[in-house]
Amino acid sequence: YKPDVVIQDITPDFLMDYEKSKRGKDYSPATISCYMRHLRSLINHFMYADKRIPGDFRYPFGKGGYTIKNYRKSKPVMSNAEIKKVVQFKKFENKEQEYARDIWLFLYRANGMNYADLIRLKWTNISGKYIVFTRMKTENTRKNNIKDIVVPISPNLRKIIDKVGVKTSPFVLGILKEGYTEKTISYKKDWQQQKLNRDLKYISEKLGLSVDLRLKTSRDSYATTLK
C-alpha cells in the first residue's frame, strides 16, 4: 500500500484510507481486521518492549483513533434433514468410511465434542450416565476458572461408544498411549483427522450435502440441532 511508510505516517486517517483501499480490492473485512491487529501488535511491541518509537508519536488505535472491526464469518451448516441422512447412511464401500461416520456421530452426539478431546478421552472419563472431561483448548489457554464439560450419555451415544471404543486401551479410541506428549497428540490428531475427513468426503458426495462433511462440522451441526 505504501512501501516507504514510516511510523509517523500511521495515523487514524492513514488507517481508514488503507481500509478503504483494501475493500476496493475485494479484501474481506476479516482479512483487513487481521492485518490491522498484526500492525497494532508491532506498534505495541516497539512502543513498550523494544522502545524505538519516538515519544511524540500519536497512538492511532483506540479511543479517538482507528477502531479495529470485529468480524465473525458466518459458518455454513447442514440442515436437520441432511444431518438425519448422515445418521441413517448405510451404503459404505468399506469399514473405514463407516468408522469415519461413526466418529462424526460420536462428536455430534457428545455435545459437539472436539476431535482432540475425543482422542484424549479415557474410559475413566466415563462415569455412569455421563462423560466428564476438560477441553484441551481450555487447559492450554486458561489458568483459572477451568471447568469440566459434562455430557449426558444418551442411548444413541452409548451405542457409538460400544461400537468404536477399544476396551484393551485406557483411551476410548485406543489411538494414544500413556505418557503421550503434546507433540504426539498433535501429530496423531492431524494424521487421523486428515484420514477421517477423506472418508467423510465420500459420504458427503454420495448424499449431495450442501456442506462438506468434515469432523469439525459435527460441532456446528450439534449447535444447529439445539437451535
Side-chain angles (χ1 to χ4, degrees):
Y1 176 69
K2 187 176 180 183
D4 58 343
V5 68
V6 296
I7 190 66
Q8 299 288 12
D9 293 331
I10 302 177
T11 64
D13 288 341
F14 174 91
L15 295 176
M16 282 299 300
D17 290 342
Y18 172 77
E19 179 185 326
K20 290 177 183 177
S21 171
K22 290 301 180 185
R23 284 190 174 181
K25 295 180 180 179
D26 294 328
Y27 280 66
S28 73
T31 298
I32 297 170
S33 294
C34 183
Y35 288 169
M36 292 298 192
R37 288 189 176 88
H38 290 169
L39 176 60
R40 184 177 61 187
S41 294
L42 284 170
I43 291 175
N44 287 342
H45 174 79
F46 287 105
M47 281 185 71
Y48 304 114
D50 188 356
K51 300 179 180 180
R52 300 192 186 190
I53 292 179
D56 61 347
F57 172 67
R58 181 191 168 197
Y59 192 65
F61 298 100
K63 189 176 181 179
Y66 176 87
T67 300
I68 299 176
K69 281 75 174 176
N70 288 320
Y71 178 80
R72 180 173 292 180
K73 187 177 180 181
S74 59
K75 297 179 180 179
V77 295
M78 290 188 290
S79 65
N80 283 335
E82 289 179 315
I83 295 171
K84 190 173 182 179
K85 286 181 181 179
V86 174
V87 172
Q88 297 176 341
F89 188 75
K90 301 291 184 184
K91 297 179 181 179
F92 304 103
E93 289 187 338
N94 52 54
K95 288 291 183 181
E96 287 75 17
Q97 291 171 358
E98 184 176 4
Y99 179 77
R101 194 286 307 272
D102 289 342
I103 294 298
W104 189 93
L105 276 182
F106 196 139
L107 300 174
Y108 170 70
R109 295 196 186 284
N111 292 18
M113 183 186 290
N114 283 298
Y115 186 58
D117 295 322
L118 179 54
I119 285 181
R120 297 196 316 156
L121 196 70
K122 290 185 172 183
W123 290 107
T124 52
N125 292 119
I126 300 177
S127 177
K129 296 181 180 180
Y130 299 94
I131 298 173
V132 182
F133 69 99
T134 304
R135 287 191 67 190
M136 182 178 178
K137 181 179 180 180
T138 302
E139 288 181 359
N140 292 336
T141 56
R142 285 188 188 177
K143 293 182 179 179
N144 301 309
N145 198 30
I146 297 176
K147 296 181 180 180
D148 287 334
I149 304 295
V150 181
V151 179
I153 301 177
S154 65
N156 285 324
L157 178 54
R158 175 66 68 184
K159 289 178 184 177
I160 293 295
I161 294 172
D162 293 341
K163 186 176 181 181
V164 303
V166 179
K167 296 292 186 180
T168 56
S169 169
F171 296 91
V172 175
L173 294 188
I175 293 173
L176 292 179
K177 294 181 180 180
E178 293 285 13
Y180 68 85
T181 63
E182 292 298 317
K183 187 175 181 180
T184 299
I185 194 171
S186 178
Y187 170 76
K188 292 278 189 181
K189 176 183 72 70
D190 292 344
W191 184 81
Q192 290 286 340
Q193 196 164 266
Q194 289 175 18
K195 184 177 181 299
L196 291 168
N197 281 334
R198 284 197 298 268
D199 289 322
L200 288 174
K201 186 177 180 181
Y202 164 82
I203 301 171
S204 182
E205 292 173 348
K206 197 77 174 177
L207 293 174
L209 301 177
S210 61
V211 178
D212 286 338
L213 191 63
R214 302 173 66 83
L215 291 182
K216 67 180 182 179
T217 63
S218 60
R219 188 170 181 80
D220 299 332
S221 296
Y222 171 72
T224 302
T225 301
L226 286 184
K227 185 178 180 182

